[in-house]
Amino acid sequence: MSAQILPLNHRERATLTAVGLGRAEMTCSCEPDLYIDGVPCCDQFTAHRLARFALVVPQRAGRRGERVPALLTDAGRAAIDLPAADVPRSAA
């Protein structure tokens, strides 16, 4: 899904950038909560929209409600024109 197919506002693009920089966590649930730098994202509509369109996914499986690192998908990287090489990888 590209930015041409899914128009993103400034807040959504900034949130995707934070996820791409490895600064985000999300809860494991059907409507996940997003945390940036450990602080809850105040715009849950944005968090839910990015997850619903699979631009942001949990990096690993977790218990319901557990906070896990958030990962930018290929579609999320494409939406903000972030090449794959620039995405930090955490040590698994």
Side-chain angles (χ1 to χ4, degrees), residues 20-22 59-60 69-71 87-92:
L21 292 172
Q59 186 176 28
R60 61 175 175 78
L71 181 66
V87 176
R89 306 279 184 207
S90 66

Side-chain angles (χ1 to χ4, degrees), residues 33-69:
D33 294 323
L34 192 61
Y35 295 79
I36 307 293
D37 296 331
V39 178
C41 178
C42 65
D43 185 352
Q44 288 304 307
F45 177 78
T46 290
H48 296 165
R49 179 174 148 92
L50 297 177
R52 191 173 313 115
F53 288 114
L55 301 176
V56 176
V57 296
Q59 186 176 28
R60 61 175 175 78
R63 294 180 313 280
R64 183 180 176 105
E66 179 183 2
R67 280 171 48 174
V68 299

Side-chain angles (χ1 to χ4, degrees), residues 6-54:
L6 178 65
L8 299 174
N9 63 38
H10 177 73
R11 186 174 296 175
E12 291 165 334
R13 293 178 62 79
T15 302
L16 288 175
T17 299
V19 173
L21 292 172
R23 297 174 38 205
E25 294 176 299
M26 63 191 304
T27 57
C28 297
S29 67
C30 61
E31 290 287 343
D33 294 323
L34 192 61
Y35 295 79
I36 307 293
D37 296 331
V39 178
C41 178
C42 65
D43 185 352
Q44 288 304 307
F45 177 78
T46 290
H48 296 165
R49 179 174 148 92
L50 297 177
R52 191 173 313 115
F53 288 114

